[in-house]
Amino acid sequence: MKIDVVTIFPEYLDPLRHALLGKAIEKDLLAVDVHDLRHWATDVHKSVDDSPFGGGPGMVMKPEVWGPALDSVAAGTAAGTRLDSSLPHLDRPRHDELAGEAAASVAPQGAQQPVLIVPTPAGKPFTQRDAQELSREQHLVFACGRYEGIDQRVIDDAARRYHVREVSIGDYVLIGGEVAVLVIAEAVVRLIPGVLGNRRSHEEDSFSDGLLEGPSYTKPRVWRELEVPEVLTSGNHGLVDRWRREQSLARTWARRPELLETAPLDQADRAFLEQLRAAESADAPSTPQP
Ligand code: SAM
């Protein structure tokens, strides 16, 4: 996969060189170019923003700067700064890495239209399903807004030529799009085949089956007088699987009940959820009599 990021703070994207993403770069599964938007600014002050039409506070990012920037980045003609991996990871495989997972190395650019991702609090909420879809793309271009955001015509114009997604990473407002790019890029890249050594890691993660994942434990068996649930040390894989499923259902029911409306559930799941509901109504304080 090729990722291009256009920003006025290129150094903000440095975390993309680290840990698993750095490793993906080393394995040639990922290439990341960061572009300084001011490179396309035309006045002596290299300005990228102007006051909003219609008045109001703040500044809006200029279309005459963003338009040419996105044109050349999408066409692959912009010379950005290529991020190299921060560490030599490849000689230190993780203990659970599996050999042989099919790896998809960086495709030649131009093979497919890019997807332009514009982070904005006014976008559609970014979900694990979006991450899965985007992990199958060859070329992602991110446009990092600042101030009041980017002139809407930049996005409308780009949508005439390639796929555009305006996405929000949550119901709060950040100062700029760079942190949102880090979030989205990390969620997407870890799903590219070959990036996580053990594919089961993401197949069992929260949201993959529509539910939250339950709690995890490691050694020691007792820590600060807190014991690991006995079933996990029983060696009975069937019981462990059922316990994990029920923990996942219970956690989803308690924290994100709306997910249960669309998650695929079998009869045993439904029976377990019924038990939870019954236990809750038994615990509920009875309505005071008039
Ligand atoms: N005026 C905009 C609004 O109210 O919708 C907020 C602009 S915000 C101060 C500046 C930039 O931060 C946005 O253009 C976007 O790139 C980024 N940003 C802020 N919050 C975000 C969120 N929840 N998700 C994605 N990007 C966000």
Side-chain angles (χ1 to χ4, degrees), residues 119-122 144-149 167-170 172-177 180:
T120 162
C144 299
R146 284 261 152 182
Y147 320 117
E148 291 306 313
V167 294
S168 165
I169 62 160
Y172 40 77
V173 179
L174 303 166
I175 303 170

Side-chain angles (χ1 to χ4, degrees), residues 96-118:
D96 64 343
E97 285 195 353
L98 296 179
E101 196 190 354
S105 56
V106 180
Q109 227 174 323
Q112 203 185 54
Q113 289 282 45
V115 178
L116 173 65
I117 301 168
V118 186

Side-chain angles (χ1 to χ4, degrees), residues 67 71 152-162:
D71 288 347
Q152 186 63 37
R153 290 167 295 177
V154 173
I155 291 114
D156 297 344
D157 173 60
R160 296 195 283 211
R161 288 186 296 287
Y162 34 84

Side-chain angles (χ1 to χ4, degrees), residues 221-232:
R221 201 169 174 149
V222 181
W223 180 77
R224 296 189 178 175
E225 293 167 28
L226 296 169
E227 272 187 50
V228 166
E230 211 179 322
V231 61
L232 294 178

Side-chain angles (χ1 to χ4, degrees), residues 38 65 69 113 183 246 281:
R38 291 193 199 279
V65 183
Q113 289 282 45
V183 169
E246 290 180 354
S281 1

